[in-house]
Amino acid sequence: MKLSEKEVEIIEILEKDARIPMETLAKMVELTVEETEAIVKKLEETKVIVQYAALVDWRKVDGHEGVTAMIDVKVTPKRGVGFDEVAERIYRFPEVKSVYLMSGAYDLSVVIEGRSMSEVAQFVSEKLSTLDSVISTTTHFILKKYKHDGTVFDQGDQDRRIVVSP
């Protein structure tokens, strides 16, 4: 879909702050509120804007820390559908947050969330690795999130670093 410069500008602004008031957005792109609302509605209806989401630092919510893992998956593609069929089977699991087709040493990158490392391990051993097309998996647990979708986490932690002098 070919978009106008104004439409792209609106998308870029909303991608950074989806809660921006429509009046402010209209001023930023030098359109009327009505024109801006019509563009946003069109972008939503055509699924250019897929959804609006909040970026949450769950470590700050007691009892909701959880575990995130990135899993490298090697698969055998199926004739006629390539990687799409196995990717679809994987992304249908509720634990799976993202699935990407990759270039390089493995085929798919799968991001999952669980309550504990053992829950993630159970998902990998009982659900993911048992799929017909899956050849192998390598699981990487995320230890600390520094930046996500352009947002830096824990900027205040800089003041709490321990400096050891020689």
Side-chain angles (χ1 to χ4, degrees), residues 65-69 71 94-97 112-128 139 141:
E65 294 83 10
V67 176
T68 303
I71 306 166
E95 300 91 339
V96 174
K97 300 304 172 198
I112 74 161
E113 292 179 359
R115 290 187 297 266
S116 65
M117 287 180 149
S118 62
E119 185 177 276
V120 170
Q122 184 176 5
F123 169 81
V124 173
S125 65
E126 295 179 8
K127 294 180 180 178
L128 185 59
T139 303
F141 288 98

Side-chain angles (χ1 to χ4, degrees), residues 8-140:
V8 172
E9 190 176 356
I10 288 171
I11 292 169
E12 289 172 344
I13 293 167
L14 289 174
E15 191 174 38
K16 290 183 181 112
D17 182 7
R19 293 182 49 137
I20 191 167
M22 198 58 67
E23 295 78 17
T24 306
L25 179 59
K27 286 180 188 173
M28 290 174 75
V29 296
E30 299 175 343
L31 293 173
T32 66
V33 172
E34 292 77 22
E35 292 170 320
T36 306
E37 286 174 338
I39 290 171
V40 170
K41 183 177 181 191
K42 172 189 158 197
L43 294 169
E44 291 170 344
E45 288 173 351
T46 57
K47 297 294 184 195
V48 172
I49 297 176
V50 179
Q51 88 178 43
Y52 299 95
L55 182 56
V56 178
D57 189 350
W58 285 105
R59 294 173 306 137
K60 294 182 178 178
V61 181
D62 291 341
H64 290 283
E65 294 83 10
V67 176
T68 303
M70 298 178 80
I71 306 166
D72 303 338
V73 185
K74 288 185 183 179
V75 300
T76 303
K78 298 245 174 148
R79 186 180 306 260
V81 292
F83 295 101
D84 294 346
E85 184 180 287
V86 69
E88 182 177 348
R89 289 180 68 196
I90 292 170
Y91 72 61
R92 291 190 180 280
F93 290 114
E95 300 91 339
V96 174
K97 300 304 172 198
S98 306
V99 178
Y100 304 97
L101 178 62
M102 305 297 290
S103 63
Y106 56 95
D107 303 307
L108 298 174
S109 179
V110 179
V111 178
I112 74 161
E113 292 179 359
R115 290 187 297 266
S116 65
M117 287 180 149
S118 62
E119 185 177 276
V120 170
Q122 184 176 5
F123 169 81
V124 173
S125 65
E126 295 179 8
K127 294 180 180 178
L128 185 59
S129 64
T130 61
L131 294 175
D132 290 338
S133 298
V134 172
I135 299 168
S136 68
T137 63
T138 304
T139 303
H140 309 274

